Amino acid sequence: MSKTFPARGTHTSHNAALQPIVSTKLVPPRGLGRLVPRDRLLEQLLQARHLRCLLIQGSAGYGKTTTLVEWCEALRPLGFDVAWLSLTQDDNDLAHCLDYLLASVAQVDPDISREANMLDGRGVDREAVERTMIALVRAIARHRRELVVVLDDFHCITDPGIHDALQWLLDYAPANLHLVFVSRVALPLSLARLRSQAMTLELAVSDLRFTLAESEQFLKLQLGDIDKKTAQRLHELTDGWVAGLQLLSVEWNKRRQRSDSIKSLDDFVRVHLLDDRTFVGYFEREVLSRLSADELHLLVRAAACSRFCASLCAALQGQAGVADTQALLARLESDNLFIVPIDRSESETWYRLHPLLREILLDRFKNFDPAVRHEVHARAWVWFRDRGHLDEAVHHAVHAGESELAAHLLEQSAQQLFAKGELRKLVGLVRQLPEAQWQSRIELRIWMVRVQLFARELDACAASIAQLEADVPLSDVVDRFKLTLLRASLAVQRDDTDSALAILPQLLHPPEGADPIALGGAVNILSWLYMHRGEYDRARQLQLDAPKLMIHGVPLIGTSAGLLQGRCLVGLSYALEGKVRQAERVYRAVLHEAELKGKACAEPGYLAAALLAEVLYELGETDAARELLESRVDVLERVSIPDSVLRVLLMLSKTRWLAGHRLEAFAYLDRLEDYALQLGLDRLLAHSLVEKLHRHILLEQFNEAQVEMARLEALEARYPHADQSSRGTIALTVQRARVRWCMARGRYEDAAAWLERLIALYQARGRQRLVAHLILQRGIVQMQLGQRDAAYASVEEALWLGHRLGLVRSLLDADPGAWDLIVEVARDRALDPMLVFYVEQLELRHQAASALVEPKASPKLKRGAAGTELLSEREIDVVRHLAEALPNKKIARALGLSPETVKWHLSNIYGKLGVSGRDEAVARVRDIEWGSPHEPPARARTR
């Protein structure tokens, strides 16, 4: 196979090599020195630091940002972390704004945004955004310190989707999250509930104005000696408006230095400076008119960029040197002419303009001749491109009329963005292009199809692939190979291994010139398909023979096409054979490396976590398996392929069942069933129904079990042939359920016949873990048939196989009587010392599992007991339905909520009641009077 995937040469990075961008949006503005002590405001803000929401609203120039910067500095010693996001009109896009929000909290601690970042590219529909916000809120709740998130210049955001996302964040914020909105206009969010709970502080212009004493202090700092009468007059004229005082002070100082005669204060200040319109007028009259033509020319061109530095300004003017520009920008900064330094490095100082000043300058820029504007944008795009600032390069290229070049740049950069886990960023940049531009480029269309696949828009993905197959000529073998790979990936997402296996021959021979992502993706899909055919050695060898793939000189480690994903598949090949110890070592190594490498390797990291949990469960480490999955399950369900989701939800159900949490165990199976029905995944549905049938049998709920058996038989009739595909294995899954059903009904001859057939089939497929499980079941059946010697032989055979593979739960879960039979065989037969040791290890795991379900004493709760009075009205509604044993989906339907929000409420309810899950919560609820003389009825589970 190694010849099939020849190693490619190292790719040469293009001029616009992507470089990390330290966003100036994510740090408080620098250089905003304390103009005057704002002790009154700071004290008010510090007292409000534990409130949910702080709103600071007022026109430009009232010192909102300056005061907040100082407040944030005062918070840090008090155990608070601060995430800062400065918004602009460019952020008025939901996906774009969410990215920056996550990046801002990641500046505090990358773990806060890790899970939410995994949802990048999964769409911006209501459910996708809700999942992102839930992941973010849960991570913030786990953060050990208080977290303040400042959203500066929030008035720039008008997108209703962003408002909805932040409203959700406000409504469900954990106690340690405090949101601060800084805006010039009224907040487009509902604060009514928070106001009623006294959880807000709202500061308006009246709070932000300088008092007379503060104005006097400020003027003395700016002008030196100034008499009280003059200070009072200036305060009255400006109405305590900080920017007005600053502008007047700057101008007055200039005139005094020029020895201009100042007849009177009234002659100098002719108008009241009371709002931002006057402020704009003052900029026009008293600031811009004082600049030289060259200075004004520079600033108008710089305004075309959201940030600028000396070398960029020089390029915008077509100048070669930057020394004069550096000196000019430094002088404008020192003269307090509203040019704010936002980042200083050894080589450059980055600046931004005061928002109102930029608006004025942009108005002038718009009046330039179109050819001149295009020239400025063209110079900006080349400058940003050459320094690897992709976002700004694309923005200016489009405005320069160079969308063709921007599209080409994106084609060059796409692989690297994908490898870094920034697929949503790529989509956002592509969508900046005119639609006709990217629709005319096959490469960009293929990337957009990958996004549809990533976001699980499977029908749209299939339609896009079909259209591309009609548009891509047969001679373009490279792009057609990518389409073949996409079809195979789509089949895997649909759990349609039949279709994927049909494509397998086309994946074996990639064309010359195939890129690393296509080569890596093909290797990983082939490994997956070989495993489903039971060719485990071949699947592993394919990974061992695969070349080291590079993107711009950097190894392709993360993503579904990368090295770590391939190593996960190697581990899975061991696990499917039953070699769980080898699988565990592989998964742990992958998980460790993925966590070290961060977002770029998040996808294989989550897969490794899902697969490792399955191994931990098998080894009897059920608590470790549950802990590994519970914090990840929402993201795993959203980002993983169906086979991984199946494993995750089954493992969580099994761990909760062993711990005695029956309702939660069924809830995870309901969740798996909902997932399967929503996506039309019958194999996953079969597994959910089989597990439910088994649980009902254990609870002696035979009527419910019979209903599940009937559903399984109807499902089996749709897939009559147990071939090599995943859908074909539905028949085998149903046959295993039939064994359980026959045993429960005392039909042991029928069970024995089914078992012999299943053991032979699974042995042929190399599924030794399942074989050991079935052989032990055969021993149970043989004992019931009075075939003691045959039963003992089956148990011993299962023990040898289990010992060789290191199995625990596969044997203990075979039947409620499995452990007793193992003990009987160990007592009555002279087992090999190795088997004696193995049985001793099984006994330890069996005892540990039994200890999990011992009842724990819990105090009876009375009305108003600690925790219960904290439940909100909505949480009480959820609890009422929970007590009726309704699954999440039915609770959501009854209350008009989404299932994700119900899960969020349940998490909060468990925390407030001091319980760990549904079963304990129901027990507590039944000890509480909810305003009714009757306790909530215990109702049979419904579906």
Side-chain angles (χ1 to χ4, degrees), residues 495-502 529-536 683 716 718-735 757-758 760-762 764-767:
D495 202 43
D496 182 6
T497 310
D498 282 337
S499 297
L501 285 168
L529 295 175
Y530 286 145
M531 282 188 285
H532 275 279
R533 296 203 315 197
E535 300 177 51
Y536 306 114
R683 182 174 70 97
E716 179 187 30
R718 296 166 57 184
Y719 304 99
H721 303 295
D723 56 21
Q724 296 289 334
S725 76
S726 62
R727 287 183 174 178
T729 60
I730 290 173
L732 297 180
T733 303
V734 176
Q735 288 167 26
R757 182 174 184 276
L758 285 169
L761 285 169
Y762 281 115
R765 296 184 178 205
R767 302 290 294 274

Side-chain angles (χ1 to χ4, degrees), residues 775-776 778-784 786-800 820-831 835:
I775 289 175
L776 189 54
R778 183 180 66 188
I780 299 287
V781 169
Q782 288 167 334
M783 281 294 289
Q784 295 294 331
Q787 302 167 2
R788 180 178 297 272
D789 290 341
Y792 278 25
S794 291
V795 171
E796 192 166 354
E797 182 182 356
L799 288 174
W800 273 116
D820 291 338
L821 182 56
I822 290 172
V823 171
E824 182 179 337
V825 171
R827 183 189 66 230
D828 293 349
R829 297 187 71 149
L831 295 179
L835 287 190

Side-chain angles (χ1 to χ4, degrees), residues 620-642:
E621 299 175 29
T622 54
D623 279 345
R626 176 182 54 79
E627 291 171 5
L628 189 64
L629 292 180
E630 278 190 336
S631 63
R632 296 175 167 91
V633 60
D634 292 325
V635 178
L636 278 165
E637 185 178 352
R638 187 70 173 172
V639 307
S640 298
I641 62 173

